Amino acid sequence: MFTVRNQRVLTGMRTSSEEGLHLGHYVGALTQWKAQQDNNEYECFYLLADMQALTTHPGDPKALRESIRVTALDWLSVGLDPTLPHVHFVQQSMVPERHALAVLLMQVTRYKVLMRNKTLQEELAGQADASVGFMVYPVDQAADILMVCPPFGVSDPRLLVPVGRDQESHLELQRDIVRAFNAMYGNILLPCVALFPEGESAGRLVGTDGSGKMSKSKGNAIYLSDPANVVRQKVMGMYTDPRKLAVSDTVPDTNGHPVFIYHRLFNPDQGWVEQASEDYCTGKIGDVPIKKKLIPVLNDLLDPIRAERARHEALIRKRPQYLGEIVMRGTEVAGKETKRVVNEMQEAMGIAYPNLRKKR
Ligand code: TRP
């Protein structure tokens, strides 16, 4: 019989990109997810946050469907393995109890507490015409986490959420909501624990244009699905240090230089990187050789991911429902947990048929 452990990891990604995931996702999230999976201590739930995608990108069902597909395929390509008994891909929209959970949480979430959320404040400021669904998405995200809340009273329950720093205020809100709920109804829900990626550059990988975080909207991303020739093109076009015009120009350091940042993160030969950085600063080499060296470094990193993607694509060609079945299986496991959580909440809250309510 297969059992669901009470130590759980739940994390997710908004499915809002048809291009799929890029190196920023890889260093900021996926390597950590993979390590937790391989660690094999936790029940791991990876959420395809398609409801959350709807809060910002409604009205394009074709794009949404495609982005769910490519996100799941990217996860498989980096070695997340839902054939393992403790690993589950979960489609957010497909768990009806999760929607119920979110609405129950809304009843104990003070408006003032929600509006204190820094991330929400910033995002609302950038949106002229936000939907109500968007305004409550942080509560919805608390429901995502609580979908797989371990049962109260088991020994050593854990609810870990590996995310980037930008999600910090959402996790704080989850804890605020849990506190409010438990204060009213008794200890039923578990506050989550955040796991942030180590290292500054890992949490916020700079884009190829050096202008800030790698992102689809900025057009400065190298995608996990980019073929080798595209990687070459993108690397050769990367932003370089404007203080260095000729090879012989000297510069004080290479800390903010995106080509060096990628070398430091991805090049297995760090001795070479250190020497190259010194030669670059002292005017012995220019940008071309360090870019040329970065191309095989990135392609070596991406090759196994490409191979794994090709393997899964072949499986999908043979069996078109392959991907959907993987997601359905994981979603069912999560849904069972969510059903239990919602039942407990409803009982505690006094929502039950008259005279049919079980005695607790
Ligand atoms: N907000 C996350 C993002 O922007 C995605 C997400 C949705 C999530 N629900 C979650 C992350 C629950 C962690 C836990 O990518």
Side-chain angles (χ1 to χ4, degrees):
M1 236 310 266
F2 121 117
T3 53
V4 178
R5 301 168 198 176
N6 291 318
Q7 293 71 42
R8 299 167 182 189
V9 164
L10 182 136
T11 186
M13 283 182 187
R14 212 177 271 214
T15 56
S16 50
S17 166
E18 288 175 88
E19 285 83 7
L21 308 178
H22 51 59
L23 287 177
H25 295 110
Y26 182 76
V27 294
L30 297 171
T31 49
Q32 201 186 2
W33 295 14
K34 171 90 165 66
Q36 279 146 357
Q37 162 190 291
D38 295 347
N39 182 25
N40 197 7
E41 262 182 65
Y42 297 94
E43 201 76 22
C44 298
F45 297 91
Y46 303 113
L47 192 72
L48 296 155
D50 56 347
M51 286 304 296
Q52 198 169 100
L54 270 182
T55 67
T56 51
H57 296 72
D60 195 349
K62 206 168 141 255
L64 184 50
R65 220 173 283 134
E66 176 63 5
S67 74
I68 295 166
R69 194 187 71 79
V70 299
T71 305
L73 189 57
D74 274 329
W75 290 357
L76 292 172
S77 305
V78 298
L80 295 182
D81 183 359
T83 66
L84 296 170
H86 66 291
V87 176
H88 315 285
F89 289 5
V90 181
Q91 191 168 337
Q92 190 191 22
S93 64
M94 289 295 141
V95 183
E97 291 82 4
R98 195 208 60 87
H99 307 310
L101 208 170
V103 178
L104 296 181
L105 294 181
M106 284 176 207
Q107 315 316 316
V108 300
T109 308
R110 308 327 302 174
Y111 180 71
K112 262 195 269 181
V113 173
L114 173 64
M115 295 319 279
R116 256 199 328 249
N117 184 312
K118 284 257 158 48
T119 308
L120 183 66
Q121 278 175 17
E122 280 168 24
E123 287 171 339
L124 276 175
Q127 254 188 294
D129 200 12
S131 68
V132 175
F134 181 82
M135 290 192 60
V136 293
Y137 94 81
V139 184
D140 216 59
Q141 184 160 331
D144 294 340
I145 298 166
L146 289 166
M147 280 176 84
V148 297
C149 179
F152 181 71
V154 299
S155 80
D156 197 23
R158 272 185 249 171
L159 191 50
L160 305 184
V161 186
V163 280
R165 288 265 170 207
D166 60 328
Q167 301 291 308
E168 196 163 6
S169 51
H170 297 330
L171 302 199
E172 242 163 63
L173 180 71
Q174 190 269 0
R175 292 189 286 265
D176 284 340
I177 295 175
V178 165
R179 209 174 302 124
F181 187 93
N182 288 352
M184 254 184 234
Y185 297 116
N187 266 334
I188 288 178
L189 303 176
L190 194 68
C192 68
V193 173
L195 293 179
F196 298 117
E198 284 162 41
E200 205 178 314
S201 41
R204 232 186 117 79
L205 183 66
V206 70
T208 54
D209 62 357
S211 78
K213 196 170 162 177
M214 183 176 280
S215 75
K216 176 181 83 150
S217 54
K218 283 200 175 142
N220 62 4
I222 294 176
Y223 291 96
L224 301 182
S225 58
D226 278 344
N229 63 320
V230 173
V231 169
R232 159 180 293 274
Q233 242 172 36
K234 286 183 177 175
V235 169
M236 292 316 287
M238 274 178 78
Y239 174 88
T240 55
D241 194 332
R243 295 171 298 188
K244 185 163 174 122
L245 298 174
V247 170
S248 58
D249 289 345
T250 62
V251 291
D253 61 68
T254 58
N255 298 341
H257 195 306
V259 180
F260 278 103
I261 290 174
Y262 292 4
H263 269 301
R264 288 200 185 93
L265 274 171
F266 302 119
N267 194 328
D269 186 357
Q270 287 299 308
W272 181 90
V273 178
E274 217 171 288
Q275 185 62 49
S277 173
E278 195 184 313
D279 292 349
Y280 188 86
C281 292
T282 53
K284 291 201 193 83
I285 58 167
D287 286 289
V288 174
I290 58 158
K291 284 183 173 176
K292 283 205 166 139
K293 188 84 172 184
L294 183 61
I295 296 165
V297 164
L298 293 185
N299 281 326
D300 285 353
L301 175 82
L302 293 174
D303 274 341
I305 299 174
R306 291 173 182 136
E308 196 56 9
R309 177 189 312 277
R311 187 172 78 78
H312 286 290
E313 275 171 342
L315 288 169
I316 293 168
R317 269 194 302 278
K318 258 214 308 240
R319 213 181 134 63
Q321 64 274 48
Y322 167 77
L323 199 56
E325 284 172 355
I326 285 175
V327 176
M328 204 196 296
R329 238 183 290 132
T331 302
E332 275 170 11
V333 174
K336 259 199 198 141
E337 293 300 310
T338 315
K339 203 169 200 146
R340 174 189 48 74
V341 176
V342 170
N343 278 341
E344 282 177 28
M345 289 170 74
Q346 286 180 329
E347 281 207 25
M349 294 173 95
I351 313 176
Y353 286 120
N355 302 335
L356 290 181
R357 186 169 166 269
K358 274 183 272 166
K359 290 221 172 67
R360 296 196 98 217

